[in-house]
């Protein structure tokens, strides 16, 4: 298995509020993408601290139960811990009031993959087709679920950046969990700088390319910037085909 991650400031923003992590310990891999929000530099703090805290949980208390349920439970507990620390940081510092961050994470052991989502960063799986694993925690996703908005309308909706669930805002956070235990080709973690501007067909074409994963991640960043680069873009691509 190979992993490559890349983040890019884009062509408009003056700071990069995205952050990402790729770690490995004793055959277990952890990958995560965060997209921060909040005034001044707070968004940048939220995402970078979320990654720092997740890293410290992984290093101090790595997963020991490597069954699929054990991986999933570890990931949930780790993100809850990250949220507690972020919430405490925001409470203790007035300049961080209101900061928040998304997080998508994948904890991998062989072909077993536990995933989690808070916010509107996404995880996609590539097998025969590209499949979106996560569901956005956003206002427009709620309107889609209620049948009041189409996917196409959501893409250009003026309130499409409003999130209904992020880390650091409340002492407890809702975490969506997903698991896979089957052979797949590739996994993609991405911030909305990618899927907010680039359609699924283009994402699939880039992710399916036989070039190196480093080139795959660069091509995803390049298509986001070709669409205007209005947001920071972060991607982590994971190839599982060597596992077979
Ligand atoms: Mg973003």
């Amino acid at each position: 298995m190979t992993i490559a991650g890349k983040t890019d400031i884009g062509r408009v923003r003056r700071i990069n509020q995205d952050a990402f992590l790729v770690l490995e310990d004793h055959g277990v891999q952890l990958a995560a993408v965060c997209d921060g929000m909040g005034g001044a530099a707070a968004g940048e703090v939220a995402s970078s601290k979320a990654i720092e805290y997740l890293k410290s949980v992984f290093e101090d208390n790595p997963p020991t139960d490597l069954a699929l349920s054990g991986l999933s439970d570890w990931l949930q507990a780790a993100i809850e811990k990250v949220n507690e620390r972020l919430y405490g940081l925001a409470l203790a510092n007035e300049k961080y009031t209101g900061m928040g961050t998304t997080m998508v994470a994948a904890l991998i052991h062989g072909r077993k993959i536990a995933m989690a989502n808070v916010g509107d960063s996404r995880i996609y799986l590539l097998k025969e087709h590209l499949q979106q694993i996560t569901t956005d925690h956003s206002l427009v996703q709620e309107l889609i679920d209620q049948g009041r908005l189409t996917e196409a309308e959501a893409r250009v909706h003026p309130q499409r950046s409003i999130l209904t669930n992020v880390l650091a805002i409340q002492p407890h956070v809702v975490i969506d969990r997903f698991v896979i235990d089957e052979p797949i080709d590739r996994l993609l973690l991405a911030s909305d700088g990618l899927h907010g501007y680039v359609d699924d067909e283009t994402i699939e074409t880039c992710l399916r390319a036989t070039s190196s994963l480093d080139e795959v991640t660069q091509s995803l960043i390049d298509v986001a910037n070709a669409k205007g680069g209005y947001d920071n873009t972060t991607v982590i691509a994971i190839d599982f085909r060597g596992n077979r």
Side-chain angles (χ1 to χ4, degrees):
M1 191 189 56
T2 47
I3 305 183
K6 204 162 277 199
T7 188
D8 189 89
I9 195 168
R11 302 174 69 179
V12 175
R13 302 279 177 95
R14 294 179 61 197
I15 48 173
N16 190 345
Q17 298 192 319
D18 286 1
F20 75 98
L21 170 78
V22 174
L23 284 175
E24 163 143 25
D25 182 60
H26 292 92
V28 178
Q29 292 83 23
L30 174 64
V33 167
C34 290
D35 179 351
M37 63 214 58
E44 201 181 356
V45 170
S47 58
S48 63
K49 286 290 177 186
I51 290 295
E52 179 190 320
Y53 295 159
L54 184 63
K55 182 171 187 276
S56 76
V57 176
F58 187 75
E59 289 174 347
D60 297 343
N61 293 293
T64 51
D65 178 358
L66 301 182
L68 195 57
S69 60
L71 295 172
S72 185
D73 289 347
W74 183 93
L75 194 55
Q76 158 128 354
I79 296 173
E80 282 171 353
K81 185 75 192 160
V82 168
N83 183 64
E84 275 170 31
R85 291 187 67 183
L86 283 173
Y87 180 70
L89 182 70
L91 271 188
N93 298 272
E94 202 174 315
K95 63 184 174 184
Y96 299 151
T97 301
M99 75 173 180
T101 183
T102 72
M103 178 179 279
V104 283
L107 186 67
I108 302 158
H109 180 58
R111 70 174 207 181
K112 294 196 284 287
I113 310 168
M115 294 161 285
N117 176 49
V118 177
D120 73 340
S121 296
R122 288 183 183 172
I123 302 178
Y124 293 90
L125 135 71
L126 183 68
K127 206 176 167 185
E128 286 84 13
H129 309 284
L130 186 76
Q131 182 191 335
Q132 184 181 328
I133 303 273
T134 53
T135 303
D136 297 345
H137 299 152
S138 65
L139 178 66
V140 292
Q141 184 62 50
E142 286 189 355
L143 295 173
I144 290 169
D145 293 345
Q146 292 164 7
R148 293 163 63 189
L149 211 60
T150 65
E151 301 262 356
E153 287 166 344
R155 283 191 162 274
V156 294
H157 196 281
Q159 292 180 304
R160 64 185 178 281
S161 64
I162 293 180
L163 301 186
T164 52
N165 183 35
V166 290
L167 296 174
I169 301 286
Q170 294 185 319
H172 298 287
V173 64
V174 178
I175 301 167
D176 287 346
R177 303 207 278 181
F178 309 88
V179 291
I180 298 173
D181 186 4
E182 60 183 273
I184 65 166
D185 292 337
R186 283 176 172 169
L187 205 65
L188 172 68
L189 284 67
S191 66
D192 70 332
L194 180 69
H195 50 262
Y197 304 93
V198 180
D199 59 63
D200 284 0
E201 290 77 7
T202 307
I203 292 173
E204 179 169 349
T205 301
C206 292
L207 191 59
R208 197 178 283 289
T210 53
S211 45
S212 74
L213 274 198
D214 202 49
E215 290 168 310
V216 165
T217 52
Q218 188 59 54
S219 73
L220 289 163
I221 299 275
D222 289 345
V223 290
N225 283 334
K227 290 279 184 182
Y230 294 106
D231 196 359
N232 313 136
T233 300
T234 303
V235 293
I236 299 175
I238 307 167
D239 190 290
F240 290 85
R241 288 177 290 199
N243 286 8
R244 294 183 191 166

